[in-house]
Structure formats: C-alpha cells, structure tokens
Amino acid sequence: MFSRAVAHSSGAGALRRFAMALMALTAAVTLVLTWPAQTARAQGMSLIRDAEIENTIRDWATPLLRAAGVAPESVTLRMVNDDSLNAFVTLGNKMYLHTGLLMRSENPGQVIGVIAHEIGHIAGGHAVRLKDELERARMLSLITSALGMAAAAGTGRGDVGSAVILGGSQAAMRNLFSYSRTQESSADQAAIKYLRATGQNADGLVEFFDILGDQEMLLSSQQDAYARTHPLTRERITSLEHAVEASDLPPAGDTAADRMRHARMVAKLVGFLKTPGVTFQRYPETDTSLPARYARAIAWYRQGKLDEALPVIDALLADYPDDPYFHELKGQMLLENGRVADSLSSYRRAVELAPREPLIRIALAHALIETGDDSHLEAAREHLAQAVKEEPQAGFAWRLLATVHGRRGDMTMASYAMAESALLHGDPAQAAFHAERAERGLKTGDPVWLRVQDVKQRADTMMTEMKNDG
C-alpha cells in the first residue's frame, strides 16, 4: 500500500505540476500576445498634450512621412506621460512617444531618428501584419495546449503534457520574436532611406541605440520599454552602423533652429513633469539661456508662486514678443490662478500668432467660458468649432461646446456635443444616450443628424467590443 500510495501521489503531483505549468505558460503567452492590442487601446496610458511640443514633433515627422509615401495628416502623434524610454505605433497610424525618451534625448537627431524608425513600421504595415502574426502564435499555443492536455490524460503523466505544451509555446514565441526582429531590421533600413531622402544624417538613430545597448544585460523588469518592445541586439546595432557608413548620408549636424526647439521641448517637459526642485537643479539661476528661463518660469508657476513666475515669462516676452507659446503659458498661469479676465489678452495674442493651433484656441475658449460673461459665448463657440474642425478627436473641446450650447439654451446641440465627448472619452453608453436625445431635435438628413448616426453606430460597436472583451 505504501509503495502504491507513493506512486499515486507521484502521479498526482506530476499532473498538478503539469496543470501549474499550463496555467503559467498560458498566462505568459497571453501577456505577450495581448500587450500590443492593449497598447493600441491606450489602456493604462496617460497621454499629455502640448501645442508647442506636438508642433515640433510634427514638423520633424512631416518630411519623413512624405518620403515614406504616408500622408502626414493620416498620422496621429501623441506623447505618453511615462519616464521610460519608449516609442511605438499602433493600428490606425498612431505614433506614441514617451516623455522619458524625449527628456533623455541629447539632441534633435536622436528624436528624429526614432521617428524615422517608427515611420518605417507605419509604412511597412507592421502593426497590421503583427496582428496576424499574433493570431497565428495564439492558435499554435492553443493547439499545443490541447495536445498537451490530451497527452497528459492519455498517459497519466503530467510531465509528458508539460513537455508538449512547453515545446509548442516555445515554438510560437520563437516564430513571433523572429518576426519581430525582422520587422525591426526592416524599420532600421527604412529609417536610413527616409533620412537620406530628406537630406538628414542617421547618426542620431545610432546614438540612441547605443544608449540602449546595455539594456540587453538587464533583467526584463529593469529594462526600458523600448528594449523590450523593439528587440535590440549588438548584431542589429552593428548592422545599422555599417548601413550608415555605407550610405551617402550627409555629415552630422543639426540646425541651430532644431537644437533650440529640442532644448525648449526638454526644458518644458522637465518644468511640467519633474519636481520644481529637480527643475531648479537642472536649470540654475546662473543659466540665463532661453530654455533655462522657460523651465524656471514653469517651475515657479507649478509652485503657485505667480509673483516669481510672471516676471520670468514677461522678460521672455520682452525678448521674444511674437512667440505664441510664451503668450500661451502666461495665459495658462493667469487662468489657473483665478485671474481669468487677465488671461484673455495673452490667449488672444497666442491665437493671433498661431491660428492653426487648435489646442491654443481651446484654451482661449475655456477662458472665455470661465469669465461667466455670456457675451463671450459666441466667440467661444467659434473658436471651438474651428478647433474641432482641425482636430475632431479633441474630447475636451466637445465638452466645452456642450457647455456653450447649454448656456445658450440649445439643448439639441448640447446633447450632440456631449455625445461626441463621451465617445472620445470611452463611454459609449453615455454617447448613445446623448445621441438619442440630440437626434430627436434634428431634421432627418441634416449634416449633424448624419453625424449623430455615425456616433450611434460607433457607440454600439464599442459596447459590443467591450461586452466581448469582458
């Protein structure tokens, strides 16, 4: 009995180990395979918006996109508020750059190189093809899991089932990572091609990869996200270096204008995202450069010390009276410190200087609404209408439009604007509710009525997807 009991216990233990191995492997495979889809939905991501920085990134990206044969207006560029080094693209031509990457970059060429690489992924349709590759890997994993369970049940040996599922899962991962490495190499070569076509040097891209070169030595949990999502090997870096050396790219050298835009971008991000103490340490009073003064003005403002911040921004405006972003920052300082009426002149001047910047128009409209003076509502509506025309995905602008229409007594248009806002904020139930209310006050066939039908359809699709995912 003792020997048979031990044998029975050993078999049960093997089966339990198999079950645990199956659950662990399934969880690992699921994590790897679903991460891109989760990223595509921006789950858990904190996105930040800034007119100046987005304008800088778009100006750098536009010639590269054209060289790649991609319409610049078809690509959405966003910043993720995350201190890690990372950049990635998702379905729908969406490119995301982590603020950590931007702040840790040393020159504009490094950022431009990363942008060129990501455009290589867009032009190559890698996000769409990766989705297909992920599905193939998922099916292989599921099939081998089923075979493993069948083997364990048929032989009564959990180790046999574990071996089957482990072998199948490893094969799926090998295929997937091999495909990913192929994509990365392809994007590297495409980046060199686009940089050459636009008369730019690829040294920045090589420098950025050199910064990441030691990431392979770290545990996965300690690596920057870029090293994990873009498989980086010394062989790949060497291959890129040889390709750059063999190309006829122009010599390195960023323009003075691009160096200043890069320095302003970094200073602004540090001022807003780091603690004031870190900002003052990095940009001490002895540093009288424009970026340093910019960063310190933001740091004082974030500390609520308007009496310290305003003189700095006023001095910058005295030196650069036609800089829209300095006017925008002064307006923000005043608005957020309760001086709403005083902020209007700064915001209006910013809009005059940068009429195609929807985020600045939205800020001005917000200030106009916050005055509580209904005589400003029509101007606010006009600015918001122009903003959503330029950028239909501006959810906050739609919410402000709902406020404007509501205060003017137009509840139909208020409901429509709320429907657009709810849809953009990922609340399809509220979007459908407000769309139904708006529809009742609209004439069939009216342009807004047609748009409401689109909102209802998208809301239904989102609710179905959420139900299926749940």
Side-chain angles (χ1 to χ4, degrees):
M1 287 292 293
F2 178 79
S3 61
R4 290 184 62 184
V6 170
H8 177 75
S9 175
S10 175
L15 288 171
R16 281 196 299 271
R17 288 193 295 274
F18 165 68
M20 292 175 66
L22 174 59
M23 288 188 291
L25 286 167
T26 301
V29 171
T30 300
L31 176 62
V32 172
L33 299 187
T34 60
W35 183 86
Q38 292 171 342
T39 298
R41 293 193 296 268
Q43 291 184 355
M45 292 196 306
S46 173
L47 303 182
I48 61 173
R49 306 294 309 277
D50 180 80
E52 178 181 11
I53 297 175
E54 289 181 12
N55 185 50
T56 294
I57 293 172
R58 183 160 290 282
D59 281 352
W60 288 341
T62 294
L64 296 167
L65 287 165
R66 288 178 176 151
V70 178
E73 62 274 11
S74 72
V75 178
T76 300
L77 300 170
R78 290 291 181 266
M79 287 184 290
V80 180
N81 184 11
D82 191 300
D83 211 35
S84 64
L85 291 174
N86 202 14
F88 55 92
V89 297
T90 64
L91 294 173
N93 286 1
K94 295 181 175 63
M95 183 188 301
Y96 297 91
L97 301 173
H98 280 212
T99 53
L101 181 150
L102 298 175
M103 284 188 284
R104 288 169 63 183
S105 62
E106 299 169 350
N107 55 62
Q110 292 178 3
V111 179
I112 292 169
V114 171
I115 291 172
H117 175 91
E118 297 305 324
I119 291 173
H121 285 305
I122 292 175
H126 293 170
V128 175
R129 291 161 61 191
L130 178 59
K131 182 180 179 182
D132 295 338
E133 195 70 22
L134 289 170
E135 187 59 32
R136 281 192 287 272
R138 189 193 306 277
M139 290 304 299
L140 178 56
S141 176
L142 291 174
I143 291 170
T144 54
S145 294
L147 291 173
M149 287 187 285
T155 63
R157 293 180 57 186
D159 58 334
V160 174
S162 296
V164 172
I165 187 172
L166 180 60
S169 295
Q170 288 178 337
M173 291 299 98
R174 281 196 301 271
N175 291 341
L176 183 59
F177 290 143
S178 174
Y179 176 76
S180 181
R181 285 191 294 270
T182 300
Q183 284 190 329
E184 293 307 314
S185 296
S186 173
D188 290 343
Q189 297 304 313
I192 294 174
K193 176 182 176 182
Y194 308 148
L195 289 165
R196 179 191 296 116
T198 54
Q200 300 183 80
N201 192 277
D203 286 356
L205 181 59
V206 176
E207 291 169 5
F208 179 73
F209 284 168
D210 282 338
I211 292 173
L212 290 167
D214 59 356
Q215 292 290 308
E216 290 178 291
M217 304 301 294
L218 300 177
L219 294 174
S220 178
S221 61
Q222 296 174 312
Q223 291 175 335
D224 270 302
Y226 201 95
R228 297 195 302 271
T229 60
H230 297 67
L232 189 66
T233 65
R234 174 47 56 184
E235 180 182 358
R236 180 179 160 211
I237 295 174
T238 301
S239 175
L240 179 61
E241 290 172 342
H242 289 163
V244 171
E245 291 173 1
S247 69
D248 56 351
L249 290 171
D254 301 313
T255 66
D258 279 339
R259 287 196 298 273
M260 176 55 70
R261 296 182 82 176
H262 177 266
R264 286 180 59 150
M265 173 181 70
V266 172
K268 196 169 192 179
L269 288 171
V270 169
F272 273 110
L273 301 180
K274 299 298 184 181
T275 65
V278 169
T279 302
F280 291 132
Q281 183 177 20
R282 183 163 177 173
Y283 299 99
E285 291 284 349
T286 54
D287 187 346
T288 59
S289 66
L290 183 158
R293 295 156 69 192
Y294 203 8
R296 289 196 298 270
I298 295 168
W300 286 124
Y301 144 70
R302 288 188 60 218
Q303 285 187 319
K305 297 180 179 180
L306 205 60
D307 56 337
E308 298 281 357
L310 282 177
V312 180
I313 196 66
D314 283 337
L316 284 170
L317 282 167
D319 292 340
Y320 308 95
D322 294 331
D323 190 305
Y325 306 112
F326 292 159
H327 286 285
E328 179 195 21
L329 178 59
K330 182 175 181 179
Q332 182 177 352
M333 290 178 176
L334 294 169
L335 175 63
E336 294 185 7
N337 279 275
R339 295 173 57 177
V340 180
D342 293 340
S343 72
L344 296 181
S345 61
S346 295
Y347 276 132
R348 283 173 174 145
R349 182 59 178 152
V351 169
E352 288 174 4
L353 292 167
R356 297 295 303 274
E357 292 285 4
L359 295 181
I360 300 180
R361 283 191 181 274
I362 294 168
L364 172 56
H366 185 204
L368 290 167
I369 293 168
E370 288 297 313
T371 64
D373 184 347
D374 286 356
S375 66
H376 290 316
L377 291 178
E378 176 55 24
R381 186 199 66 77
E382 291 176 356
H383 285 299
L384 291 168
Q386 180 64 32
V388 297
K389 182 179 179 181
E390 295 274 350
E391 190 173 327
Q393 303 300 309
F396 183 54
W398 285 108
R399 184 171 292 275
L400 290 176
L401 265 174
T403 299
V404 169
H405 289 305
R407 279 173 54 176
R408 299 179 78 185
D410 189 344
M411 303 314 296
T412 294
M413 289 302 294
S415 294
Y416 163 59
M418 282 299 298
E420 292 276 15
S421 176
L423 194 65
L424 291 168
H425 284 95
D427 191 343
Q430 281 295 308
F433 170 77
H434 289 293
E436 291 284 354
R437 292 185 62 181
E439 186 178 34
R440 291 195 290 268
L442 294 167
K443 182 179 178 181
T444 302
D446 179 86
V448 178
W449 181 89
L450 293 173
R451 176 57 194 162
V452 166
Q453 308 312 305
D454 291 339
V455 171
K456 288 172 62 178
Q457 183 176 9
R458 287 177 59 195
D460 287 343
T461 300
M462 285 177 65
M463 285 189 282
T464 300
E465 290 176 348
M466 291 169 69
K467 183 178 179 181
N468 292 338
D469 289 345

